[in-house]
């Protein structure tokens, strides 16, 4: 075994009561959980007595996608025990993106996301954006945001969408691989997607159920 975490209070995320025990890890997989596991077989032993051992936390509301592209280790999350972040919240995001709008879009939203234009490689499709997140220190659940879809259709033009605009917006959505929105394989979840419009706004409701 590579790592043995000994004597911690284990909260395993199943809803069961916390319990004291040891955790054996080989490579990146937990191989055994129990009491008084043999430390002589471990390359490294972590003394977790007086500490709580849990799965990584999920930060369900972030605006960290550009920060992750600047520093893929994303240490400010990892140091807090966060292993998964959800991005594209509040209708704000950057994919899909027309190349001619790339710099202005990041600049306009820099008050929230920071201005990391000099650290970023351009992308156009949502799939290209997800590819750039590969290798991050955290898992990233990335939403396709309203403003990104709208900018693909109208740019920065201040206007209410008409029927033709909505149809064009629908077409943009049909080009996105829904199975890649969360960067995981289709077999791990089922999804429902609902399109709608109200007073000129195009909205999407995406329901995920992990299986």
């Amino acid at each position: 075994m590579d790592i043995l975490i000994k004597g911690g209070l284990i909260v395993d995320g199943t809803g069961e009561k916390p319990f004291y025990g040891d955790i054996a890890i080989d490579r990146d997989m937990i191989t055994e959980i129990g009491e008084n596991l043999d430390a002589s077989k471990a390359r490294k032993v972590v003394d977790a007595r007086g500490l709580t051992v849990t799965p990584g936390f999920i930060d369900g509301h972030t605006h960290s996608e550009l920060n992750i592209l600047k520093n893929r280790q994303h240490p400010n999350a990892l140091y807090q025990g966060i292993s998964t972040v959800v991005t594209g919240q509040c209708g704000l995001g950057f994919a899909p993106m027309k190349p001619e709008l790339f710099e202005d879009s990041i600049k306009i939203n820099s008050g929230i996301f920071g201005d990391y234009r000099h650290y970023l490689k351009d992308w156009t499709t949502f799939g290209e954006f997800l590819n750039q997140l590969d290798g991050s220190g955290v898992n990233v659940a990335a939403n396709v945001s309203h403003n990104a879809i709208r900018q693909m259709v109208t740019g920065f033009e201040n206007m209410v969408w008409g029927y033709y605009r909505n149809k064009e917006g629908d077409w943009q959505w049909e080009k996105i691989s829904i199975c890649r929105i969360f960067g995981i394989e289709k077999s791990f979840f089922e999804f429902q997607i609902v399109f709608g419009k109200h007073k000129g706004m195009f909205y999407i409701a995406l329901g995920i159920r992990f299986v």
Side-chain angles (χ1 to χ4, degrees):
M1 99 186 48
D2 292 320
I3 300 173
L4 179 63
I5 302 174
K6 284 194 68 69
L9 179 62
I10 299 172
V11 181
D12 63 9
T14 65
E16 296 295 327
K17 292 182 179 180
F19 58 94
Y20 289 95
D22 304 337
I23 300 175
I25 300 171
D26 282 313
R27 295 180 178 269
D28 59 354
M29 183 174 295
I30 294 174
T31 55
E32 188 175 2
I33 299 175
E35 296 182 1
N36 299 316
L37 300 184
D38 186 358
S40 66
K41 297 180 180 180
R43 295 183 180 181
K44 180 178 181 180
V45 177
V46 177
D47 184 357
R49 289 175 298 179
L51 302 175
T52 301
V53 184
T54 75
F57 298 117
I58 299 173
D59 190 340
H61 189 140
T62 78
H63 296 286
S64 58
E65 46 264 62
L66 300 188
N67 184 269
I68 294 171
L69 292 177
K70 177 179 179 290
N71 183 351
R72 295 181 185 280
Q73 293 303 309
H74 204 40
N76 55 313
L78 292 175
Y79 291 162
Q80 299 178 72
I82 296 167
S83 59
T84 300
V85 299
V86 183
T87 68
Q89 300 287 31
C90 302
L92 301 176
F94 301 96
M97 177 74 69
K98 289 182 177 179
E100 62 270 24
L101 300 178
F102 189 87
E103 289 216 1
D104 284 343
S105 181
I106 294 173
K107 186 176 180 180
I108 289 170
N109 290 285
S110 62
I112 297 174
F113 294 88
D115 190 349
Y116 301 123
R117 285 173 289 166
H118 300 299
Y119 297 92
L120 305 177
K121 298 178 181 179
D122 293 1
W123 59 82
T124 301
T125 68
F126 193 75
E128 291 170 349
F129 170 72
L130 289 180
N131 287 339
Q132 293 203 33
L133 292 170
D134 284 349
S136 300
V138 294
N139 303 307
V140 181
N143 291 298
V144 180
S145 61
H146 166 79
N147 78 309
I149 296 293
R150 184 179 179 91
Q151 282 176 199
M152 285 294 287
V153 179
T154 65
F156 299 118
E157 188 177 353
N158 184 14
M159 64 172 294
V160 175
W161 282 7
Y163 178 75
Y164 175 77
R165 294 289 188 174
N166 271 304
K167 290 295 288 184
E168 190 174 351
D170 287 350
W171 176 78
Q172 290 294 342
W173 259 90
E174 289 169 2
K175 291 175 63 178
I176 297 169
S177 173
I178 299 299
C179 294
R180 296 200 66 201
I181 286 178
F182 277 73
I184 55 180
E185 296 297 326
K186 182 178 179 181
S187 60
F188 282 98
F189 68 92
E190 298 175 355
F191 63 87
Q192 293 181 332
I193 187 162
V194 179
F195 299 94
K197 58 181 179 178
H198 177 65
K199 295 183 179 178
M201 290 189 66
F202 180 81
Y203 62 87
I204 306 99
L206 180 66
I208 300 293
R209 182 170 71 87
F210 289 89
V211 296

